[in-house]
Amino acid sequence: MAIVTRFPPSPTGYLHIGGARTAFFCWLFARRRQGRFILRIEDTDVERSTAESVQAILDGMAWLGLDYDEGPVYQSKRVDRYRQVIGQMLQARQAYHCYCTKDELEQMREQQRSRGGKPRYDGRCRDRREPRPGIDPVVRFKNPKAGSVVIDDLVKGRIVIRNDELDDLIIARSDGTPTYNFTVVVDDMDMGVTHVIRGDDHVNNTPRQINILAALGAQVPAYAHVPMIMGADGKRLSKRHGAVSVTQYRDEGYLPDALLNYLARLGWSHGDQEIFTREEMISLFDIREVHRNAAVFNPEKLLWLNYEYMKSADPGDLKEQGRRHFQAAGIAIDAQDNWEQVIRANQERSKTLVELVQRSAFFFRQPDGYDDKAVKKHFKGEAHAVLAALIQSLQSLADWEPAAIHDCVHSLAERLGLGLGKVAQPIRVAVAGVAVSPPIDETLAILGRDQTLSRLRAALDFIDQDNAGTVG
Ligand code: GLU
């Protein structure tokens, strides 16, 4: 069977990580079985749908590398089709006009409640033939009265719902617009969806959707309802728990593969393996193995995983992924001759791309100034002598490469009778503006002779002036 999955977000906010996980599961499922993956934008709620949300969804999908074989399909462009199916169902008496007013419905529910029953529509307009003047009717689906709907959910197992627990669902509002449960059904049918993978907040919609699909003579897809993601406090994940939008993780410097890896592991496992390549996930992921209980989101673990990805990433990939972050810091990374060395020297120390940019920036441009604390701590005492002597020896260094620079710094420390820290730290502050950098020999080698010497000289001047200021 050819597999077709779909991800149908409603564009009423950003793409949140719960949605991204669902999208990823759909994508993995389709990719593993050479199926098709459809992106559908469920934008029939015009009041709540926005163009920005659509863009955030498209950006999020692109950033995560979740490519689709069809779409984006916009439901707002399919309204004629929905109307057509509603007409067809009315004609076949699978649906009917309901003229009940709000007051009537309220009264009906009140009576049901007072009798201790569940409030729901009792089907009183089912057999009405005459319209009621002055009322624009809604359209309701004639839900079967007898029997049960059986769902063999791929995650939750068998779910059985008796039809007498379901009432006649409104499929078109009084202004003629179709409702959510109906548009989903028509789309899933028209698009030949074979597997519906979605959050378990939709599980109550499923029996209704199955009944409508059956009425339309459509193939009923398989369903997999994926448990929600919770915060550490056991509440549904929300802004209170930190970042929940995919683009926010992008902006904070996470790698898309690390985020996807983390999301896949939320509620799915394969032995104790934590790190999976995309290809591994495609070949190993099975929707049937998704755990039944809710998963707890752990931002520290995500950060740890991102760090693991940062350390082992190819510098070229980090340049690609990091371009927007370098740009935000005013650095045109593609124009830097030494980008690869710089990234290589810093990636093992950077938990995120944002941190990578912070640590790398001084290689590409002179720091604006020196960190106050670092100045107080490291530009005192012998620092002046260290920098002056270093300039002397580096000027005449034959080969500008790490081993030679290493020897030079070490012999200087020996000559001055100083510990290595006392030598290396003022150099760091001089070239980086702060007291952190990769190993000093590697740092100077990457910076190049001219930049190194000019920054060391500028630091000497700074110390001179600083001293003059203190004395004066
Ligand atoms: N538009 C629905 C949502 O965003 C999709 C539900 C479904 O997958 O059928 O929750």
Side-chain angles (χ1 to χ4, degrees):
M1 176 172 67
I3 299 290
V4 181
T5 65
R6 85 302 196 265
F7 175 55
S10 307
T12 54
Y14 40 74
L15 175 60
H16 59 87
I17 53 173
R21 186 180 62 150
T22 306
F24 188 40
F25 285 173
C26 293
W27 183 90
L28 283 173
F29 192 77
R31 291 290 169 264
R32 178 172 181 182
R33 291 149 198 247
Q34 283 87 41
R36 290 161 54 67
F37 173 56
I38 302 171
L39 177 65
R40 180 165 90 212
I41 306 289
E42 303 205 321
D43 59 348
T44 47
D45 185 344
V46 272
E47 312 245 292
R48 294 176 61 224
S49 302
T50 65
E52 294 83 69
S53 300
V54 172
Q55 200 52 52
I57 290 164
L58 299 181
D59 289 351
M61 296 291 283
W63 179 67
L64 291 170
L66 299 181
D67 54 337
Y68 27 92
D69 308 295
E70 187 181 328
V73 178
Y74 293 87
Q75 286 194 326
S76 56
K77 301 220 170 90
R78 288 176 44 79
V79 173
D80 289 346
R81 170 66 181 148
Y82 305 135
R83 274 181 217 260
Q84 184 199 353
V85 181
I86 288 167
Q88 179 192 316
M89 292 181 81
L90 281 169
Q91 203 149 41
R93 299 206 184 288
Q94 293 169 325
Y96 60 93
H97 285 121
C98 167
Y99 292 87
C100 294
T101 62
K102 257 202 183 123
D103 287 349
E104 270 174 289
L105 292 173
E106 197 35 59
Q107 247 177 23
M108 178 173 68
R109 290 192 197 109
E110 211 33 69
Q111 282 171 2
Q112 288 164 336
R113 271 192 287 260
S114 67
R115 275 188 254 118
K118 259 200 215 154
R120 55 208 170 86
Y121 187 65
D122 63 6
R124 59 180 65 177
C125 285
R126 267 191 170 211
D127 300 314
R128 174 192 289 282
R129 292 285 176 269
E130 295 306 311
R132 262 199 203 170
I135 294 182
D136 290 327
V138 299
V139 178
R140 288 187 187 266
F141 168 64
K142 252 189 212 171
N143 198 78
K145 283 194 161 162
S148 302
V149 183
V150 178
I151 309 163
D152 280 316
D153 192 280
L154 297 176
V155 174
K156 292 187 174 296
R158 176 159 288 202
I159 304 171
V160 180
I161 301 100
R162 290 208 326 266
N163 270 323
D164 62 13
E165 290 186 28
L166 305 169
D167 59 2
D168 290 348
L169 186 77
I170 298 179
I171 57 175
R173 301 179 189 92
S174 55
D175 64 1
T177 55
T179 57
Y180 161 71
N181 273 299
F182 182 71
T183 55
V184 167
V185 164
V186 176
D187 288 350
D188 286 347
M189 172 177 76
D190 286 355
M191 296 170 186
V193 171
T194 61
H195 290 78
V196 169
I197 299 171
R198 61 184 169 195
D200 68 2
D201 48 339
H202 283 287
V203 77
N204 291 334
N205 292 325
T206 306
R208 301 171 175 287
Q209 295 182 3
I210 290 178
N211 280 336
I212 304 176
L213 283 163
L216 291 170
Q219 183 73 33
V220 176
Y223 290 87
H225 289 94
V226 179
M228 297 282 101
I229 304 177
M230 304 288 176
D233 55 2
K235 301 228 167 73
R236 200 175 154 171
L237 196 66
S238 73
K239 277 189 190 152
R240 276 178 303 127
H241 301 103
V244 282
S245 95
V246 164
T247 27
Q248 196 170 341
Y249 282 99
R250 179 195 68 193
D251 297 345
E252 289 179 9
Y254 284 78
L255 295 166
D257 281 18
L259 182 58
L260 287 179
N261 187 155
Y262 179 71
L263 291 178
R265 280 285 292 104
L266 263 186
W268 172 77
S269 48
H270 180 76
D272 337 323
Q273 191 172 339
E274 289 290 356
I275 300 176
F276 299 83
T277 63
R278 225 173 245 253
E279 290 68 35
E280 276 178 310
M281 282 190 276
I282 291 174
S283 67
L284 294 172
F285 177 78
D286 189 339
I287 191 73
R288 290 175 190 84
E289 290 171 0
V290 169
H291 308 163
R292 287 186 186 192
N293 28 12
V296 176
F297 189 74
N298 178 347
E300 286 85 36
K301 186 163 172 201
L302 170 57
L303 186 62
W304 166 80
L305 196 63
N306 200 64
Y307 188 28
E308 294 302 309
Y309 269 78
M310 290 291 299
K311 286 192 273 193
S312 60
D314 174 67
D317 287 344
L318 293 179
K319 181 180 81 156
E320 289 305 311
Q321 298 291 344
R323 185 175 288 113
R324 69 170 65 238
H325 302 285
F326 280 112
Q327 213 159 26
I331 298 162
I333 190 67
D334 294 297
Q336 312 297 329
D337 296 335
N338 55 358
W339 66 264
E340 187 167 354
Q341 293 157 287
V342 174
I343 290 177
R344 220 180 264 291
N346 287 291
Q347 69 184 102
E348 278 189 27
R349 298 171 176 75
S350 306
K351 293 194 172 63
T352 64
L353 290 164
V354 169
E355 192 179 341
L356 177 69
V357 171
Q358 279 162 0
R359 289 180 181 273
S360 303
F362 78 86
F363 285 94
F364 303 125
R365 59 160 184 241
Q366 179 132 16
D368 292 338
Y370 306 101
D371 175 64
D372 282 343
K373 265 200 204 133
V375 166
K376 286 207 183 80
K377 200 159 170 211
H378 303 298
F379 273 3
K380 58 171 193 199
E382 303 87 356
H384 191 280
V386 167
L387 296 180
L390 187 71
I391 292 172
Q392 288 303 318
S393 21
L394 287 181
Q395 262 169 348
S396 53
L397 198 66
D399 297 316
W400 192 263
E401 43 83 35
I405 296 170
H406 177 92
D407 290 347
C408 185
V409 172
H410 276 252
S411 60
L412 178 72
E414 239 165 65
R415 215 162 61 222
L416 298 177
L418 294 171
L420 204 57
K422 284 255 188 263
V423 176
Q425 288 307 70
I427 305 176
R428 278 211 165 86
V429 181
V431 298
V434 290
V436 276
S437 84
I440 203 69
D441 43 6
E442 195 183 341
T443 301
L444 301 190
I446 298 171
L447 260 184
R449 193 193 304 261
D450 291 350
Q451 269 302 313
T452 300
L453 290 174
S454 97
R455 290 187 195 184
L456 293 175
R457 288 193 189 105
L460 266 189
D461 287 349
F462 175 87
I463 296 173
D464 283 339
Q465 270 166 25
D466 210 33
N467 288 342
T470 332
V471 174

